[in-house]
Amino acid sequence: MPNALIVIDMQNDFCPGGALGVAGGDQIVGHINTLMDRFDAVILTQDWHPADHSSFASNNPEGQPFEVVEMPYGPQVLWPDHCVQGTSGAAFHRDLRVDRADLILRKGFRREVDSYSAFYENDHQTPTGLSSYLTERRLGALTFVGLAHDFCVAWSARDAAELGFEVSVIEAATRAIDLNGSREQARTDMINAGVELV
Ligand code: VGL
Ligand code: ZN
């Protein structure tokens, strides 16, 4: 079965010094670049928000960054402004082998709903189209790496397993934000969904 490496959000804003920097986020780039040679296809995702995105604390006068608020689709963490379309923060880490990618999938571009998963918006209903793309290409075995382990990587891996793909996460090629124990929670959720943690 053909396999794909799905590299989640390896962007400047998720690396140290970025707007939502994940500790050690830049240390995994070399590992990810090396892994690319082992896969039939490489897919990159890119968090890609309009400046007025509803997940930004700056657009929610009542909320502080990292607070959880209730959105029409459920609970949502408010984030510092990050990965704004066209900014250097939204660009990929400069050492990432972007040329190796068959597909760059952008997500989070709708103002009114956030999108952690590469498969669905946070309403868990609106698809990004990735599932159909993978199915048409017969890419049935998926390996996830990138940032952040406990948000976009975990939500993507879980959805992929629920959609019937064979899924693994290479934990050494991820780093976590770890908000109120979110890293351990994400690990438990992934294992329960049938994701293999390598
Ligand atoms: C992410 C928070 C907000 C991620 C994206 O890539 O994990 N986290 N937007
Ligand atoms: Zn985001």
Side-chain angles (χ1 to χ4, degrees):
M1 178 162 51
N3 62 7
L5 182 69
I6 304 188
V7 181
I8 302 291
D9 299 358
M10 279 307 302
Q11 296 164 259
N12 292 325
D13 270 344
F14 295 121
C15 291
L20 186 41
V22 182
D26 53 339
Q27 295 166 3
I28 61 178
V29 180
H31 189 182
I32 291 172
N33 285 341
T34 306
L35 286 169
M36 288 180 181
D37 292 327
R38 290 207 236 142
F39 290 84
D40 300 307
V42 173
I43 292 160
L44 309 180
T45 69
Q46 191 171 26
D47 210 37
W48 195 249
H49 299 305
D52 62 352
H53 197 260
S54 59
S55 77
F56 293 172
S58 63
N59 295 320
N60 289 265
E62 258 86 279
Q64 296 297 313
F66 305 107
E67 263 177 28
V68 179
V69 295
E70 206 54 41
M71 294 284 183
Y73 53 84
Q76 169 69 47
V77 179
L78 295 181
W79 301 107
D81 293 22
H82 66 279
C83 297
V84 174
Q85 295 170 0
T87 63
S88 55
F92 290 112
H93 187 287
R94 66 156 134 82
D95 296 332
L96 187 70
R97 285 174 63 198
V98 174
D99 290 353
R100 175 70 176 80
D102 292 354
L103 174 72
I104 296 174
L105 182 95
R106 288 175 170 166
K107 61 187 183 61
F109 49 75
R110 289 190 180 86
R111 191 199 65 80
E112 66 281 3
V113 59
D114 206 2
S115 188
Y116 296 154
S117 166
F119 294 91
Y120 295 104
E121 312 267 345
N122 285 9
D123 62 5
H124 297 291
Q125 298 194 348
T126 311
T128 62
L130 181 59
S131 179
S132 303
Y133 175 90
L134 295 167
T135 304
E136 279 207 292
R137 289 196 56 190
R138 310 272 184 269
L139 296 162
L142 310 180
T143 297
F144 290 86
V145 296
L147 302 170
H149 170 280
D150 42 350
F151 286 91
C152 292
V153 173
W155 286 50
S156 299
R158 224 177 47 197
D159 281 346
E162 281 164 12
L163 285 163
F165 296 97
E166 189 183 302
V167 184
S168 63
V169 171
I170 300 179
E171 289 200 291
T174 68
R175 290 291 185 276
I177 296 174
D178 207 8
L179 202 58
N180 306 316
S182 55
R183 182 174 180 277
E184 274 316 303
Q185 186 64 51
R187 298 191 82 237
T188 307
D189 292 345
M190 286 192 280
I191 291 166
N192 288 340
V195 175
E196 188 191 1
L197 301 180
V198 183

